[in-house]
Amino acid sequence: MGKYIIAGNWKMNKLPSETYDFVKEVAEATKGASCEVVCCTPYVCLAPAVEAAKGTHVKIGAENLHFEDKGAFTGEVSADMLVDMGIQYVIIGHSERREYFAETDETVNKKVIKALEKGLIPIVCCGESLEQREAGITMDLITIQIKKAFANVSAADAKKIVVAYEPIWAIGTGKTATDEQAEEVCGAIRKVLASLYDNATANAITIQYGGSMNAGNCAGLLAKPNIDGGLIGGASLKSADFAVITGAAK
Ligand code: PGA
């Protein structure tokens, strides 16, 4: 459906001093991949990451941004700052940011709109907790998350957005959603997008799965028709594992 994109989400791992060599290692290991390869790094690692990615196929992303252009927001980073550094992607609304940093569907939407305005590609995260899955409200919740994230986004801009479906119970737990569970929700997300826009727009949007995707389970997940890539946490910190995943995305 959408273009295959495999994005690493380093989270709060790796030092700036380790970044240049590691991105070079990723570039070497993932050479020849037929998908887009992205490393999303902590802010302080972005400069060496961009430097290392120069002249390679690897794209660099941030893990967050602020939705205002500039001003008195101590500790925050704007879209212009990221663009100025050569950043192309930005993760928005990761469940860890929703849980620990008061990210809401409203701030997610503001960040999506700002990222698009500045030419950054948003990777918008959605996903249910175990409690919500067991209560049978997974699709209700995800429908709301998607509708709110895409509010006031034109069809032309919607096609630029990457959606990452990440069931919270599968993140960092080693408990991956089954291929069928992941496909079911990713397919349902595409239907919500089709209802907001049209089939062609929905089909053009990359929908990733994330949550303990690794070298061992990626092939089955990525073979599903509605899974166009992955947002990879733990396995993105080892270039060989990450390369197996990028190799399976074709
Ligand atoms: P994980 O993280 O691959 O370590 O489960 C995925 C994510 O949170 O993006």
Side-chain angles (χ1 to χ4, degrees):
M1 294 263 186
K3 174 168 86 169
Y4 270 110
I5 302 173
I6 301 292
N9 174 14
W10 291 9
K11 309 192 180 184
M12 199 167 74
N13 295 295
K14 300 228 180 264
L15 300 172
S17 60
E18 298 168 328
T19 297
Y20 184 91
D21 286 350
F22 185 70
V23 171
K24 282 284 183 212
E25 208 180 291
V26 168
E28 186 58 34
T30 62
K31 227 190 229 165
S34 42
C35 61
E36 177 105 319
V37 180
V38 186
C39 291
C40 297
T41 86
Y43 288 139
V44 293
C45 297
L46 289 173
V50 167
E51 204 46 43
K54 270 186 193 154
T56 78
H57 60 286
V58 176
K59 307 286 195 307
I60 304 301
E63 299 175 12
N64 185 31
L65 84 167
H66 197 272
F67 51 77
E68 292 291 348
D69 279 331
K70 58 162 75 175
F73 301 99
T74 302
E76 291 297 318
V77 168
S78 71
D80 283 331
M81 293 172 186
L82 297 176
V83 170
D84 188 62
M85 293 184 75
I87 304 307
Q88 288 169 279
Y89 284 82
V90 61
I91 299 172
I92 297 176
H94 191 280
S95 60
E96 287 150 16
R97 295 216 58 87
R98 292 179 192 254
E99 184 176 353
Y100 307 128
F101 303 102
E103 195 84 73
T104 64
D105 289 332
E106 285 69 32
T107 59
V108 167
N109 179 241
K110 286 183 183 180
K111 291 178 179 193
V112 166
I113 287 176
K114 187 53 67 179
L116 290 167
E117 180 194 321
K118 302 294 182 176
L120 291 164
I121 300 171
I123 300 177
V124 180
C125 302
C126 63
E128 82 288 3
S129 65
L130 187 58
E131 200 183 1
Q132 289 161 334
R133 173 161 284 263
E134 285 172 350
I137 57 169
T138 296
M139 272 329 299
D140 302 298
L141 178 91
I142 283 167
T143 301
I144 290 169
Q145 288 178 332
I146 294 292
K147 286 188 173 173
K148 290 197 162 182
F150 280 76
N152 302 311
V153 174
S154 69
D157 273 348
K159 288 183 191 166
K160 300 173 192 161
I161 297 176
V162 177
V163 174
Y165 166 56
E166 298 204 308
I168 297 167
W169 47 271
I171 296 176
T173 57
K175 218 175 166 194
T176 322
T178 63
D179 302 348
E180 290 69 32
Q181 282 173 325
E183 167 65 14
E184 183 187 18
V185 180
C186 291
I189 290 171
R190 208 176 300 280
K191 285 207 185 92
V192 173
L193 292 169
S195 78
L196 291 177
Y197 301 99
D198 52 69
N199 283 335
T201 303
N203 290 343
I205 294 174
T206 294
I207 303 179
Q208 299 174 319
Y209 167 80
S212 299
M213 194 192 275
N214 59 39
N217 61 26
C218 59
L221 289 159
L222 293 168
K224 291 291 180 192
N226 283 295
I227 302 178
D228 312 317
L231 185 56
I232 320 297
S236 74
L237 302 172
K238 292 188 194 125
S239 60
D241 289 3
F242 194 54
V244 172
I245 302 172
T246 60
K250 55 186 173 207

